[in-house]
Amino acid sequence: MVTQLTGQPTTDDVVHLTVPADGGYLSVLRTATAGLAARLQFALDEIEDLRIAVDEACAMLLAIAARGADLDCRFAVTEDALTVEVTVPTAPGAKLPAESSFAWKVLTALTTSASASAVAGRATIALLTRRATGW
């Protein structure tokens, strides 16, 4: 799993959340995303774009999650960027959507960069969003 950050976060700048891999818990992750992006003084439209991207990434992972799995979310805050990595254990034979899919088009349109990996029965989607310049 590769994470691109603008600087090294300290341990105080990393937030880990684990929720059941169930759509009913995604509001917790959307709220955390918005709060951390607001901390970085993202514009309101940037915050909403990131919330939508996190929701889409989670939806992609929920579709391939193993039964009874937990969704692990790691937020890394740097001076001008927020990296969100969402990971879930996958069901046997499950695969992430192709990078040419509509879901990936959404992720790449709403974030600075998006990547995915699937290793040893776990799938991860990493999103990087940089705050717009001009502050």
Side-chain angles (χ1 to χ4, degrees), residues 14-97:
V14 176
V15 176
H16 292 268
L17 291 175
T18 300
V19 297
D22 179 290
Y25 293 93
L26 295 185
S27 63
V28 174
L29 299 179
R30 287 191 301 266
T31 301
T33 300
L36 292 168
R39 178 178 176 219
L40 286 170
Q41 299 178 345
F42 277 37
L44 289 177
D45 59 335
E46 293 172 315
I47 293 171
E48 189 58 26
D49 286 351
L50 188 53
R51 283 172 37 109
I52 293 168
V54 167
D55 197 56
E56 187 67 34
C58 289
M60 290 168 61
L61 291 175
L62 290 180
I64 62 171
R67 183 180 302 238
D70 285 334
L71 194 64
D72 296 317
C73 191
R74 178 184 182 272
F75 300 90
V77 179
T78 60
E79 193 173 301
D80 68 343
L82 179 61
T83 300
V84 182
E85 291 179 357
V86 187
T87 303
V88 69
T90 58
K95 294 182 182 179
L96 285 164

